[in-house]
Amino acid sequence: MIPPGSTIGILGGGQLGRMLILAGRRLGYRFQVLEPKRGCAAGMVADGEINAPYEAGSALLRLAKTCQVLTFEFENVSAQALGPIEDLLPVRPAASVLSICQNRRREKEFLRRRRFPCASFRVVHGSDELLQAVRELGNSCVVKTADFGYDGKGQVRITEPDFDEKAVWSRLDGESAVVERWIDFEGEFAVICARGTNGQEAIFPVIENEHRNHILHRSIVPARISPALAAEACELALEITRAMDVVGLLAVELFLTREGEWLVNEMAPRPHNSGHFSFDACLTNQFEQHLRAICGLPLGSCDLLRPVVMTNLLGDLWEDGGPQWSRLLEEPGLKLHLYDKGEQRSGRKMGHICCLAERLPDALRMSRRAEQLLGLD
């Protein structure tokens, strides 16, 4: 066990790291952050901040010497660089888990090798292979760069048979890409699992997600699906978590097809945007649960205290001077979270709101009122 009072190192300085630290303060932990840019959202509430590239061996070594366990708040860090660090202290989840989840080719091949359900796909290395893959999979596909994609970055949708494969390839930044058959899905969902050092498991309620422009717009909990479908989604996510021997959190994004089948979309071995609802609506939020897991503490209850709708606040809201927070906070069931990230720009996640009520329809109505006030409707 890594007891309270110990220091936890975090790779990444965004809002997920910030909320990890805020949750960990209540347990008495200290934090060091490694982030390339000075003044990051997590660094503002950490005990110390190291500014250097994530792959810088000297910076990683310096961070490791100050900590008892190391974790990360997003996948765009070097799994290879973490290999030597694992000889010095625990890295949780392990670099092997990060390696799978940060590369779409490795992720899809892992799912196929372990026979987990996912969309049909091909791995391509140039425009000619791209054209052939689309012909094999059908005219409706999505092309994703293999490395470092999030919030729709590095993705191109193909809907026409006579597309310009060279133009599409030029828009992708990388040596390889994954071409997936487009799924005509009923909805998008996520399941967040926690797994401790001793194999103890906990799972949050299934999350129903809605996206705009490839960015998560809002999450609805509990998801509006049958108990049987929810149980299937949870068991699938737990099986994947066990297969990768995750210690910490694993968020599994899922498609529900119109035939009622689950398909795995992507995985993230860390706290997840769709799990922000848990900060206000669960007995143990996802950030505390991640810390409990990586520190070898008993996992907490994931029980949902009341239905909730979480909505992301993007930088676009500040274009006309910013939202009217006082009017927004007049709603007694609304909780506001701002990340103090400085520059507000289009598409950048600056905060979120949670609308809580005794009944899910009431939480949805409150969320719609808040969106109207913010101009998001």
Side-chain angles (χ1 to χ4, degrees), residues 122-143:
R122 301 288 187 276
V123 178
V124 299
H125 301 87
S127 58
D128 292 342
E129 292 184 10
L130 169 61
L131 180 61
Q132 181 63 29
V134 173
R135 287 174 175 171
E136 292 175 1
L137 293 171
N139 295 328
S140 187
C141 294
V142 58
V143 187

Side-chain angles (χ1 to χ4, degrees), residues 103-228:
N103 178 280
R104 290 189 174 106
R105 175 184 62 80
R106 292 192 290 269
E107 187 175 60
K108 294 296 182 185
E109 290 176 347
F110 165 83
L111 293 170
R112 181 164 61 186
R113 186 168 62 251
R114 293 301 191 103
R115 300 184 182 278
F116 293 118
C118 63
S120 299
F121 70 94
R122 301 288 187 276
V123 178
V124 299
H125 301 87
S127 58
D128 292 342
E129 292 184 10
L130 169 61
L131 180 61
Q132 181 63 29
V134 173
R135 287 174 175 171
E136 292 175 1
L137 293 171
N139 295 328
S140 187
C141 294
V142 58
V143 187
K144 303 177 181 179
T145 54
D147 290 301
F148 303 140
Y150 64 97
D151 287 346
K153 295 177 175 63
Q155 296 188 25
V156 180
R157 173 86 188 275
I158 295 174
T159 57
E160 301 294 335
D162 299 323
F163 73 99
D164 187 338
E165 69 274 14
K166 289 184 173 57
V168 170
W169 188 256
S170 68
R171 291 174 58 186
L172 303 172
D173 184 17
E175 298 178 355
S176 63
V178 174
V179 185
E180 299 177 19
R181 177 177 292 153
W182 182 258
I183 303 300
D184 184 22
F185 54 80
E186 186 71 26
E188 297 179 81
F189 299 82
V191 179
I192 299 175
C193 303
R195 188 166 178 270
T197 55
N198 62 353
Q200 183 187 4
E201 298 171 340
I203 191 162
F204 288 90
V206 179
I207 306 155
E208 180 181 347
N209 288 329
E210 298 177 358
H211 291 77
R212 291 184 182 178
N213 300 319
H214 303 289
I215 299 174
L216 180 64
H217 172 58
R218 69 176 182 171
S219 297
I220 301 167
V221 187
R224 295 169 293 183
I225 55 175
S226 71

Side-chain angles (χ1 to χ4, degrees), residues 58-79:
S58 59
L60 285 170
L61 183 60
R62 180 180 162 198
L63 178 66
K65 289 180 177 179
T66 68
C67 305
Q68 283 70 60
V69 64
L70 190 63
T71 191
F72 40 86
E73 62 114 40
F74 78 147
E75 294 93 301
N76 291 359
V77 301
S78 173

Side-chain angles (χ1 to χ4, degrees), residues 14 44 90 113 174 324 366:
M44 291 180 181
R113 186 168 62 251
Q324 300 179 45
M366 189 192 311

